[in-house]
Amino acid sequence: MSDALERLLASVRNPIRYLGGEPNASRKDPSSAEVTCALCYPDLYEVGMSSLGLRILYGRLNELPQVVCERFFAPEDDCEELLRRQGIPLFTLESRLPVRSFDIVGFSLSSELNFTNFLNLLDLSGIPVRASERTQKDPIVVLGGSCLFNPVPLEPFADLCVVGEGEEPLAEIAVRLSEVKGRPRGEVVSALGEIDGVYAPANGRRQVSKRFVKDLDEAFFPVRWMTPLTEIVHDRISLEIMRGCGQGCRFCQALRCWKPVRHRSAERVIHLAREAYRSSGCSEISLLSFSSGDHPEIGRIVEGLVAEFRELRVALSFPSLRIDTFSFSLANRMREIRKTGLTFAPESSERMRRSLGKEISDGELVRLAGEAKRAGWRQIKLYFMVGLPGETEDDLDGIVRLVREVSGVISVKASFNTFVPRPHTPLERERFITAEEYEDKRTYLRSRLRSRYIEVKEHPWTMSAVEAFLSRGDEKAGSALMRVWKAGGRFENWTEQFSFERWREALAEEGIGFDQLSSGPRGELPWKFVRV
């Protein structure tokens, strides 16, 4: 470590974020590799290390003998200030080499509100933010994640965009780069852009079909589970048991963008859980999928994990459950180990749920609340959306009735988000409600949900508005994004860092009004060339 870097790490808050050295982190030598890759989840270490996708990509690349893959994350403001003041380029955790010295720099983008962080990290690394300004000495910048189902706003900044599940195409990019490395940059980018599921904006738009893993049982899983040396957001083993979603919710990208539905067998899940626990000693295993209750062997999985981990006092949890596939007997079995929370997403009133593809009644949810209370749970979390197409005051009244009925049985934490129309869904052209409409709905719900047994939380409309703008954006969205970053946009997933005024000014400078955002896209959709 250089003296300057050593002094920097001694001066920042929580330096352990930047040190690496966690159990099960890669110890491969970059100097011996044919291809080096630096991967990033563009948020703080505590958030990025909670991403299963990043862990899968990191582990999969380090399986390749000719590749070394390392990690970096967004530094907090104090560290960024020191990096810029002292002229130290952003570095990776494992070798502390400059990010710009790697052959591939990859970003996992699962939230539009991290786009400004992505641009900032390029700049902190000394990599030209615009792809057109990069030279032979600059790395190939690869973007992936759920935000890439509409890559158009990010085209000016990406060398390559991976559409769909990334572990196979990213490994193919690394292997192919080992074969074409040293050729002129344009030739390299063009060659890598020919890989299935990969789109190179510099080559011009062509139809690109998403990539997906065909056999989940054979797919890579990081059983050498890295154990952070500091607390992270989700400090647990996230064990993916299923990909895709077989339900028909019309507002959700999961049905179309992550199809087909694929399952890990019960035997494979139990084996992976056993190996990941042996390597890490984590005290919680989360069964990850869009709706874990839909797994055809979920009973066998839970029974097997309970038998495996009962004596070890390892908690089991479901981060995602549909009410209509929920089995209370399974939840009770999981509680034999340690109590975990219950979270459901009714989304809206019973009438709206049926129109959206969720066939579950209020009465069934109230019944489940009673069973939860009798079994010893103290609280249920309920997630709702406001601003759905066709929503009426009667639907808001239906939400109020449901929350009140459930809160008469068990304490409720009700969370409200504004509906964001997403690409590739049946609702992709729908309008996004105005700030005035949102405020009316928020006030209406708040005034009717005042109870010591009800806690209400809301995701700010302003943040959802930016998500809606970027998720359905065209070329102008990329220009506005650049303006917001230059004006100081950072960590916009964090409410205290988010500035709607910056976005309002940037959109005005690009000649975009929020009335256009509310009305929805007209004409040809920017993401039409992406096939899901």
Side-chain angles (χ1 to χ4, degrees):
M1 189 192 311
S2 69
D3 291 343
L5 189 51
E6 192 169 332
R7 286 194 299 272
L8 179 139
L9 292 174
S11 304
V12 297
R13 294 188 296 270
N14 202 0
I16 203 164
R17 287 173 172 156
Y18 315 108
L19 290 175
E22 308 97 326
N24 297 320
S26 173
R27 303 292 192 274
K28 296 174 76 173
D29 179 8
S31 65
S32 65
E34 295 178 27
V35 171
T36 57
C37 180
L39 283 185
C40 177
Y41 188 98
D43 209 317
L44 294 177
Y45 174 91
E46 296 92 313
V47 180
M49 281 302 293
S50 299
S51 166
L52 176 60
L54 187 80
R55 288 174 179 262
I56 289 172
L57 297 174
Y58 176 82
R60 177 70 185 92
L61 287 174
N62 278 315
E63 272 196 332
L64 300 172
Q66 70 270 50
V67 177
V68 166
C69 181
E70 300 190 351
R71 298 161 294 147
F72 67 105
F73 301 99
E76 204 175 1
D77 55 357
D78 66 320
C79 184
E80 177 179 344
E81 183 182 348
L82 288 170
L83 288 169
R84 291 191 183 279
R85 188 194 310 159
Q86 298 178 22
I88 300 173
L90 194 61
F91 53 89
T92 59
L93 270 62
E94 283 79 2
S95 65
R96 304 203 182 101
L97 290 171
V99 168
R100 69 185 181 203
S101 68
F102 285 71
D103 299 314
I104 297 169
V105 175
F107 293 86
S108 177
L109 295 167
S110 60
S111 168
E112 290 84 8
L113 295 176
N114 273 336
F115 285 6
T116 51
N117 269 10
F118 154 58
L119 300 189
N120 195 49
L121 290 167
L122 286 177
D123 188 60
L124 271 174
S125 302
I127 301 168
V129 172
R130 291 190 178 276
S132 60
E133 297 173 3
R134 293 176 198 141
T135 66
Q136 191 74 14
K137 63 181 176 60
D138 291 309
I140 305 297
V141 176
V142 183
L143 308 186
S146 56
C147 294
L148 272 296
F149 287 109
N150 175 19
V152 175
L154 296 169
E155 285 177 342
F157 319 111
D159 293 314
L160 302 172
C161 299
V162 175
V163 178
E165 296 168 3
E167 57 261 58
E168 291 180 351
L170 189 56
E172 291 169 20
I173 287 171
V175 171
R176 181 74 175 123
L177 182 57
S178 70
E179 300 165 352
V180 300
K181 192 175 177 182
R183 296 184 191 175
R185 180 182 178 82
E187 287 185 23
V188 171
V189 170
S190 182
L192 299 177
E194 294 173 357
I195 294 170
D196 289 344
V198 179
Y199 161 57
N203 290 355
R205 282 185 197 155
R206 63 173 179 84
Q207 192 170 81
V208 58
S209 297
K210 71 170 184 189
R211 286 288 295 271
F212 62 92
V213 171
K214 294 181 175 59
D215 186 344
L216 196 57
D217 254 2
E218 296 300 317
F220 174 84
F221 181 81
V223 290
R224 290 181 55 81
W225 193 260
M226 271 187 291
T227 308
L229 303 176
T230 187
E231 187 176 349
I232 62 173
V233 174
H234 298 306
D235 201 357
R236 62 198 182 201
I237 296 167
S238 295
L239 179 46
E240 190 180 29
I241 65 172
M242 186 171 81
R243 285 191 190 176
C245 184
Q247 302 296 334
C249 301
R250 300 177 67 242
F251 57 85
C252 184
Q253 279 187 318
L255 175 63
R256 287 152 186 86
C257 291
W258 300 111
K259 65 183 180 184
V261 177
R262 291 140 292 157
H263 310 100
R264 274 198 169 103
S265 65
E267 291 80 9
R268 184 66 175 160
V269 169
I270 294 165
H271 168 75
L272 294 175
R274 182 185 302 124
E275 294 303 308
Y277 173 77
R278 283 177 178 170
S279 72
S280 66
C282 282
S283 60
E284 183 179 347
I285 298 173
S286 180
L287 304 181
L288 190 65
S289 75
F290 288 116
S291 181
S292 297
D294 288 330
H295 194 294
E297 294 186 291
I298 190 61
R300 289 186 59 202
I301 289 171
V302 171
E303 293 290 338
L305 293 176
V306 166
E308 183 81 26
F309 294 107
R310 180 190 290 112
E311 300 301 321
L312 297 169
R313 305 294 297 169
V314 175
L316 301 179
S317 63
F318 288 142
S320 175
L321 287 168
R322 282 177 57 100
I323 305 163
D324 48 340
T325 61
F326 178 67
S327 168
F328 211 86
S329 62
L330 290 180
N332 282 330
R333 292 290 286 132
M334 291 194 301
R335 288 184 68 250
E336 290 183 16
I337 300 175
R338 187 151 57 90
K339 184 174 177 180
T340 53
L342 291 178
T343 302
F344 301 118
E347 311 296 1
S348 187
S349 67
E350 187 173 311
R351 181 192 77 84
M352 285 293 293
R353 281 200 298 279
R354 286 176 177 159
S355 73
L356 293 169
K358 282 199 166 189
E359 298 292 336
I360 183 68
S361 70
D362 288 354
E364 181 67 7
L365 182 53
V366 174
R367 182 188 67 78
L368 286 171
E371 290 194 40
K373 179 73 171 181
R374 288 189 291 275
W377 267 273
R378 297 181 180 178
Q379 184 184 73
I380 285 182
K381 295 179 183 178
L382 300 177
Y383 286 91
F384 297 94
M385 286 188 289
V386 296
L388 285 156
E391 181 181 79
T392 66
E393 190 172 293
D394 286 344
D395 294 309
L396 299 182
D397 286 336
I399 292 172
V400 170
R401 282 195 302 273
L402 173 60
V403 175
R404 282 178 174 173
E405 282 190 60
V406 173
S407 70
V409 177
I410 191 171
S411 178
V412 173
K413 182 180 288 187
S415 179
F416 292 91
N417 285 344
T418 311
F419 163 67
V420 174
R422 294 286 180 181
H424 306 290
T425 71
L427 306 182
E428 63 187 357
R429 288 187 181 271
E430 294 291 342
R431 65 189 297 273
F432 177 78
I433 62 171
T434 64
E436 292 75 20
E437 289 174 301
Y438 167 79
E439 188 57 33
D440 288 345
K441 294 173 188 292
R442 189 191 75 84
T443 302
Y444 190 88
L445 290 167
R446 278 270 182 185
S447 66
R448 288 158 176 77
L449 293 176
R450 292 173 179 162
S451 167
R452 58 183 289 194
Y453 302 109
I454 302 172
E455 179 184 349
V456 176
K457 290 192 172 183
E458 298 137 352
H459 184 67
W461 175 89
T462 51
M463 298 174 82
S464 296
V466 172
E467 292 177 60
F469 167 63
L470 290 173
S471 69
R472 300 193 296 182
D474 57 14
E475 295 82 354
K476 283 190 174 183
S479 298
L481 170 63
M482 188 77 164
R483 290 181 185 274
V484 171
W485 167 65
K486 285 184 174 179
R490 310 279 192 280
F491 290 104
E492 297 191 303
N493 252 334
W494 300 78
T495 308
E496 61 273 20
Q497 299 272 56
F498 178 83
S499 168
F500 189 56
E501 192 56 36
R502 274 196 295 257
W503 283 97
R504 194 192 303 275
E505 291 174 2
L507 266 63
E509 290 166 354
E510 290 296 324
I512 304 170
F514 267 94
D515 56 334
Q516 296 170 253
L517 170 63
S518 296
S519 64
R522 296 291 181 265
E524 186 170 285
L525 296 168
W527 53 90
K528 185 179 179 181
F529 65 101
V530 176
R531 295 186 60 187
V532 299

